[in-house]
Amino acid sequence: MNVIPSIITPHPTHYRHLRTRFEPQYGALWCYLAPNARPCFSFEVLEELRRFQEKIERSAEDEGKGWGVRYVILASGTPGVFNFGGDLGLFIRCLKKNDPETLRRYAKECIDVLYAHSIGFDLPVTTISLVQGDALGGGFEAALASDILVSEKQSQFGFPEVLFNLFPGMGAFNLLERRIGMRRTERMLLGGKLHRAEELHAEGIVDILAEDGRGENAVYEHIVRQAGRQNTHQAVLQVRRKLRPLLYEELMDVKEIWVDSAMRLGPREIRLMERLVNAQTRVSAFAPASITPPRTGNA
């Protein structure tokens, strides 16, 4: 089945790190992460994402004007990379300057973006993540925040934070636990391994597995399949969010544990983060490519 969009309405934006488009025949609003430097969540990317989300949240007022957003799809404009997650360069600067407050503010902004997306902006909207490359750390968290996770087979997922003695603190535990249970979540967070999309599809983490190069088509096919059942689908999502809610207060509590843990890191962990930043910069400069977190004999 080939589903090709026939009408694309330009979606006016004033973003430097995002690209968006709206397809009214599907009610699909696409947001492509397109950072100018490394494909990670910098303060600038987070600010633009939150501004994009606030526009969606205000869209309820435009319902009568026919804007009609039913799906919000998060994807990437960087070939071979969905997102590398946290801004490790910022983390390094905060650790060297003993600046926990900036880390705390950064973590809160990450959570604000993730939480709004995870609850569908309090609107009858289905969120979809389309992963067509590596989703690491906070990039994996962002993908998990959607109602539906679509991934191409070539994609790899992982939480490399354990390699520099940290953990993903902006929602990974909360989001994964709802899909695969606490014990499996802990093993994944502590393992530091890369996982292929097919493996995560078998575990129920990836909802829809697409052939390489056909991720967008898989998203359209899903939307078309749901077209006659949109009311039921939205009701089931509402029940899911009611019975297994993602609580903002819990995310904020975990954030404090993450900040405290980060501030205890020493020179060795900082050197490992610096190596990973350099590797990510090289990969993003020559994408498409895949990145494996650096390992040392002591890691």
Side-chain angles (χ1 to χ4, degrees):
M1 176 182 180
N2 286 310
V3 183
I4 304 298
S6 58
I7 303 173
I8 297 178
T9 300
H11 189 248
T13 64
H14 302 283
Y15 306 123
R16 295 179 60 245
H17 304 287
L18 307 177
R19 298 201 314 267
T20 66
R21 75 172 188 256
F22 179 52
E23 296 166 341
Q25 75 276 33
Y26 297 118
L29 178 58
W30 291 77
C31 176
Y32 290 88
L33 300 167
N36 289 331
R38 286 183 300 114
C40 69
F41 289 114
S42 65
F43 269 124
E44 293 80 8
V45 172
L46 292 170
E47 186 275 329
E48 290 193 355
L49 277 169
R50 190 67 195 112
R51 193 148 44 90
F52 170 75
Q53 292 177 337
E54 288 169 349
K55 182 176 179 62
I56 296 171
E57 290 162 355
R58 291 193 298 269
S59 71
E61 302 170 5
D62 299 328
E63 287 286 326
K65 302 174 185 176
W67 197 42
V69 174
R70 298 189 299 278
Y71 296 90
V72 175
I73 303 110
L74 183 66
S76 172
T78 303
V81 178
F82 179 72
N83 195 272
F84 288 147
D87 186 348
L88 294 183
L90 173 71
F91 298 176
I92 292 166
R93 292 193 297 274
C94 289
L95 295 178
K96 288 182 175 181
K97 294 180 179 179
N98 191 29
D99 180 9
E101 289 308 312
T102 298
L103 273 187
R104 188 169 285 111
R105 179 166 63 90
Y106 175 83
K108 181 183 182 304
E109 292 193 18
C110 288
I111 288 170
D112 287 345
V113 169
L114 180 141
Y115 181 74
H117 189 84
S118 72
I119 63 171
F121 319 103
D122 274 333
L123 292 170
V125 164
T126 300
T127 56
I128 299 174
S129 292
L130 170 58
V131 179
Q132 297 169 293
D134 290 351
L136 304 181
F140 194 177
E141 286 176 313
L144 288 167
S146 289
D147 299 315
I148 306 293
L149 201 171
V150 180
S151 176
E152 294 184 357
K153 287 184 176 180
Q154 49 130 358
S155 302
Q156 297 186 100
F157 300 78
F159 293 110
E161 289 87 347
V162 69
L163 300 178
F164 45 84
N165 206 16
L166 199 56
F167 74 99
M170 274 70 98
F173 201 115
N174 313 64
L175 294 165
L176 262 181
E177 190 275 333
R178 298 192 305 174
R179 289 177 179 251
I180 59 174
M182 184 174 296
R183 290 296 177 88
R184 178 65 181 117
T185 294
E186 289 180 352
R187 287 198 297 271
M188 185 173 289
L189 297 187
L190 293 171
K193 290 174 50 182
L194 287 180
H195 302 269
R196 300 191 62 82
E198 289 179 280
E199 173 190 347
L200 299 190
H201 181 251
E203 288 202 59
I205 296 172
V206 169
D207 297 295
I208 298 173
L209 189 66
E211 296 295 329
D212 295 344
R214 293 185 58 82
E216 287 198 3
N217 201 266
V219 172
Y220 291 123
E221 290 173 356
H222 174 75
I223 291 173
V224 169
R225 283 196 302 269
Q226 299 298 325
R229 300 176 286 179
Q230 182 69 15
N231 182 61
T232 301
H233 189 62
Q234 271 299 316
V236 169
L237 285 180
Q238 282 184 282
V239 172
R240 180 200 297 179
R241 291 168 184 165
K242 176 69 70 175
L243 296 181
R244 297 299 303 275
L246 184 67
L247 301 178
Y248 184 81
E249 295 77 11
E250 288 184 356
L251 293 172
M252 296 297 282
D253 288 343
V254 173
K255 171 205 73 176
E256 291 301 318
I257 298 172
W258 179 83
V259 172
D260 291 343
S261 179
M263 295 308 299
R264 290 195 295 269
L265 299 182
R268 174 185 169 276
E269 288 83 8
I270 291 174
R271 287 195 298 272
L272 286 171
M273 281 192 276
E274 288 171 337
R275 288 181 56 197
L276 188 51
V277 168
N278 291 334
Q280 290 177 352
T281 301
R282 290 195 300 272
V283 167
S284 57
F286 297 102
S290 180
I291 181 169
T292 300
R295 294 181 181 273
T296 70
N298 298 322

